[in-house]
Amino acid sequence: MCGIVGYVGPQSALDVVVAGLKRLEYRGYDSAGVAVLSDGSLAAAKRAGKLVNLEKALVERPLPSGTTGIGHTRWATHGGPTDANAHPHLDNAGRVAVVHNGIIENFAVLRAELEERGHALDSETDTEVVAHLLAEEFSATADLAEAMRLVCRRLEGAFTLVAVHADDPDVVVGARRNSPLVVGVGEGEAFLASDVAAFIAHTRSAIELGQDQVVELRRDGVTVTGFDGRPADVRSYHVDWDASAAEKGGYDYFMLKEIAEQPKAVADTLLGRIDAAGSLTLDEVRISTAELREVDKVVIVACGTAFHAGLIAKYAIEHWTRIPCEVELASEFRYRDPILDPRTLVIAISQSGETMDTLMALRHAREQGSKVLAICNTNGSTIPRESDAVLYTHAGPEVAVASTKAFLTQLVACYLVALYLGQVRGTKWGDEIRAVIRDLSKISQEVERVLKTMEPVRELARSLATKNTVLFLGRHVGYPVALEGALKLKELAYMHAEGFAAGELKHGPIALIEKDLPVVVVVPSPRGRSVLHDKIVSNIQEIRARGARTIVIAEEGDEAVAPYADHLIRIPATPTLLQPLVATVPLQVFACELATARGNEVDQPRNLAKSVTVE
Ligand code: F6R
């Protein structure tokens, strides 16, 4: 939610910052802006709409060149997506510029105080107060980092701030509380960004900032302190992917590339999980096996697609470990006073590791004494840092707003966690675990095979471009798959799409069925619990009898469904619990193609942002 870039070094700051913003546009695309320090003055430009509008403005009215600068791409919270509300925000003298990600909750009080002192604020944002407060503190201290520390101590809420001051020309200062900010360290240059993707073309050497820290960036190094001014401990790390991973690589959209990367992402997430003794390992565990043996309940918290991964994980966890498992939307979790104690294991699933709802849920769980295990795709992000254990998914950077490869790898990670719990608690034997791992190892090839057969799915999607509604049905693990199929279609094609448990249809939703309504049905394996399979075949007949156009996703060799399918999408036979790994893929392709056919922006759907860092 909002992308931020800062740069100081020998290169043109504008070029570095704009290139960085391009990589961060997935975080928000309501407006964009930049500020550059040049010959003792500050020049800024900003435009509502996508980054391309700003780029055009910069061609029409170029900014003077400079080697220190900041930039921002916005997902609007306070104030609409207008030029005036776009960042950077400047003080009245035009000497300080600031960009912000997050929400400053006490901005109204601060604004009133500033206005009383004679400041004129002209945007509707919560951010503008910071520019004015920084200007005041800088005139007292002549030190931008100190001014930032003083200001941050007065702010409430979640914020990442990055600022420059015309009177301190070779310095960029950043601050972080509850929102992401990473430092990149190059040769004689330094970077600040919401995500390493912004500077990966320049350096793979990064520093993770902690909570309530201020960083001062100079060409010859960085200094990190707490908001209290004390030197802070930081963790440096090497980014293990390169710039090409954050490029489209010849695909029209990031989403297409990321769908195609799924076989590798699934394989990478499995890599190195078995140690020499044949046991499963987690990346970083600060929960002892004794504590895991004591666990009497698992609670999964997550949002959106990650929540759907959690719903599927429940089936595996309960089946393989016999521990009761609840799955909860992170945004609802802490408000209903959930029953948690030290014997509850909370699993937080998040691609970005920055989703505020999930972060707040995990903090609540830890306050109640529960241990938290994170499943996350972003190294060094807040959620794994604040958890007791982490299992990283190795999907590589996911740029398209709609999650695809992260989902599949979250599922793999969930299966691994379930097996790990089974291993620690002795509810699964070593050979049983290895048999599941062998099945999981084959999934990468199966996904590859599914991807090769997607042309009929694309054709079908194009033929449905003028429809208003698509329903999705599933049973057992196919039910969350149906929910995920519907979510993908809503966010990408802007169509009314609903996922239902197929057995629930007769309790109400069947009234929605009308002639030619497309209904996608995810059919469980006939080799699993055959009763489930038989019941869904009946469900397909029920909706077909009422005129539905049935789009059936069924395992190869499942002939029982064929007579009732207007369109049959085949997936490879897999063990029942693992079926979502192959069944979801056609639904991703379906949504992507429908969005394209309807002329929508696939990678940047309207109103959305990839990383949701507000509650
Ligand atoms: C949907 C989608 C979102 C995210 C959700 C959680 O395609 O991408 O629903 O899954 O916002 O995000 P993370 O996993 O970063 O916590």
Side-chain angles (χ1 to χ4, degrees):
M1 209 134 270
C2 299
I4 287 182
V5 187
Y7 174 74
V8 56
Q11 305 187 56
S12 154
L14 191 62
D15 292 349
V16 173
V17 167
V18 171
L21 290 180
K22 273 191 193 145
R23 303 251 169 147
L24 296 187
E25 217 185 357
Y26 70 88
R27 300 181 68 88
Y29 27 86
D30 288 333
S31 65
V34 287
V36 172
L37 297 183
S38 177
D39 287 337
S41 62
L42 190 152
K46 50 192 196 171
R47 281 293 178 277
K50 297 207 168 185
L51 186 58
V52 63
N53 295 358
L54 174 70
E55 288 180 291
K56 273 189 211 139
L58 289 169
V59 172
E60 282 157 21
R61 287 193 51 201
L63 292 186
S65 65
T67 55
T68 305
I70 59 176
H72 187 265
T73 175
R74 179 168 187 244
W75 187 83
T77 57
H78 290 59
T82 61
D83 284 356
N85 290 334
H87 301 209
H89 289 282
L90 275 57
D91 67 320
N92 287 144
R95 305 296 289 166
V96 59
V98 66
V99 291
H100 165 221
N101 172 22
I103 292 177
I104 294 164
E105 284 167 2
N106 58 337
F107 85 99
V109 177
L110 296 169
R111 184 178 177 125
E113 287 170 11
L114 284 162
E115 283 171 345
E116 237 169 64
R117 295 199 291 274
H119 292 258
L121 285 86
D122 38 45
S123 79
E124 302 158 289
T125 67
D126 51 339
T127 308
E128 196 180 1
V129 295
V130 178
H132 291 257
L133 291 171
L134 277 175
E136 282 186 344
E137 298 294 2
F138 187 87
S139 41
T141 59
D143 176 343
L144 189 57
E146 178 59 8
M148 182 66 95
R149 284 188 285 267
L150 291 166
V151 171
C152 286
R153 299 215 284 262
R154 298 173 59 189
L155 303 181
E156 288 164 19
F159 49 84
T160 298
L161 296 161
V162 174
V164 288
H165 198 297
D167 295 333
D168 211 348
D170 291 318
V171 175
V172 177
V173 168
R176 159 171 203 274
R177 170 181 286 168
N178 284 341
S179 287
L181 189 62
V182 214
V183 181
V185 184
E187 287 284 319
E189 59 186 352
F191 308 79
L192 268 178
S194 311
D195 177 340
V196 292
F199 55 71
I200 192 73
H202 305 278
T203 179
R204 290 166 74 175
S205 174
I207 296 175
E208 185 181 296
L209 286 184
Q211 243 340 31
D212 287 6
Q213 291 184 348
V214 164
V215 58
E216 189 176 348
L217 238 65
R218 295 179 181 275
R219 286 162 187 246
D220 56 358
V222 300
T223 313
V224 184
T225 55
F227 284 178
D228 57 8
R230 283 210 284 260
D233 286 337
V234 290
R235 186 178 82 91
S236 301
Y237 64 101
H238 180 77
V239 183
D240 58 8
W241 47 272
D242 61 17
S244 65
E247 310 272 0
K248 284 189 199 152
Y251 289 88
D252 288 344
Y253 309 110
F254 277 108
M255 186 177 175
L256 287 172
K257 175 182 171 239
E258 289 161 8
I259 289 173
E261 283 171 345
Q262 292 186 113
K264 180 171 185 314
V266 163
D268 286 352
T269 300
L270 278 172
L271 224 61
R273 298 299 186 189
I274 307 273
D275 68 14
S279 299
L280 274 170
T281 52
L282 296 190
D283 293 320
E284 197 186 325
V285 198
R286 295 182 292 272
I287 309 176
S288 68
T289 45
E291 284 168 312
L292 287 176
R293 274 187 217 111
E294 289 299 303
V295 167
D296 64 3
K297 181 171 73 171
V298 174
V299 177
I300 300 178
V301 288
C303 305
T305 289
F307 171 70
H308 297 154
L311 290 175
I312 294 165
K314 174 183 165 77
Y315 291 83
I317 290 172
E318 291 192 338
H319 186 64
W320 289 337
T321 71
R322 308 311 295 155
I323 312 172
C325 174
E326 295 168 11
V327 191
E328 181 111 15
L329 286 168
S331 54
E332 290 292 318
F333 183 64
R334 67 187 172 124
Y335 301 105
R336 67 160 182 93
D337 195 13
I339 300 166
L340 298 164
D341 62 35
R343 297 179 67 179
T344 311
L345 175 69
V346 173
I347 301 178
I349 309 176
S350 174
Q351 186 286 130
S352 61
E354 301 293 348
T355 300
M356 188 57 77
D357 291 317
T358 310
L359 179 62
M360 290 304 174
L362 88 79
R363 283 189 185 158
H364 181 78
R366 293 194 79 202
E367 275 162 25
Q368 308 300 307
S370 301
K371 296 284 179 196
V372 176
L373 186 155
I375 290 178
C376 184
N377 194 41
T378 311
N379 196 317
S381 56
T382 311
I383 287 173
R385 244 196 352 252
E386 294 200 14
S387 299
D388 299 288
V390 53
L391 186 73
Y392 280 111
T393 51
H394 295 297
E398 191 179 66
V399 177
V401 166
S403 190
T404 53
K405 61 177 179 170
F407 176 69
L408 256 57
T409 58
Q410 282 162 355
L411 287 180
V412 171
C414 286
Y415 295 128
L416 290 174
V417 167
L419 292 173
Y420 184 74
L421 285 172
Q423 169 182 297
V424 167
R425 299 163 63 91
T427 53
K428 274 235 154 254
W429 302 113
D431 56 345
E432 291 173 315
I433 292 174
R434 280 188 287 278
V436 179
I437 296 279
R438 269 197 303 279
D439 289 335
L440 275 170
S441 315
K442 290 182 204 144
I443 294 289
S444 164
Q445 290 162 15
E446 305 295 22
V447 173
E448 188 86 65
R449 220 147 61 73
V450 174
L451 287 170
K452 288 199 175 115
T453 59
M454 286 297 95
E455 194 41 47
V457 174
R458 281 189 281 268
E459 215 170 279
L460 170 66
R462 289 193 290 271
S463 75
L464 299 177
T466 55
K467 293 277 179 196
N468 296 320
T469 299
V470 181
L471 301 185
F472 294 76
L473 306 182
R475 283 191 102 112
H476 194 255
V477 288
Y479 168 43
V481 172
L483 295 178
E484 176 60 7
L487 175 62
K488 286 280 111 45
L489 205 62
K490 278 179 224 175
E491 66 182 325
L492 292 163
Y494 317 150
M495 289 168 84
H496 171 230
E498 296 257 13
F500 295 109
E504 188 61 16
L505 212 64
K506 57 187 177 295
H507 299 290
I510 199 162
L512 291 169
I513 306 291
E514 57 188 16
K515 190 163 169 20
D516 219 27
L517 179 81
V519 183
V520 179
V521 189
V522 183
V523 178
S525 165
R527 298 163 304 109
R529 300 184 74 185
S530 57
V531 62
L532 276 178
H533 175 267
D534 297 349
K535 287 199 189 306
I536 213 161
V537 175
S538 304
N539 298 142
I540 301 172
Q541 293 178 63
E542 285 154 17
I543 54 169
R544 206 156 181 261
R546 289 160 177 84
R549 181 161 162 190
T550 56
I551 302 164
V552 175
I553 301 183
E555 186 174 297
E556 283 158 356
D558 178 358
E559 295 312 327
V561 290
Y564 316 111
D566 294 312
H567 305 271
L568 189 53
I569 301 169
R570 288 296 187 186
I571 51 173
T574 51
T576 297
L577 281 170
L578 307 189
Q579 197 203 47
L581 288 164
V582 287
T584 309
V585 177
L587 301 181
Q588 298 167 339
V589 173
F590 181 69
C592 184
E593 191 67 25
L594 250 167
T596 314
R598 288 163 74 94
N600 297 352
E601 294 231 18
V602 171
D603 285 337
Q604 295 174 348
R606 70 182 178 203
N607 305 337
L608 291 171
K610 180 122 190 100
S611 177
V612 187
T613 54
V614 293
E615 268 192 283

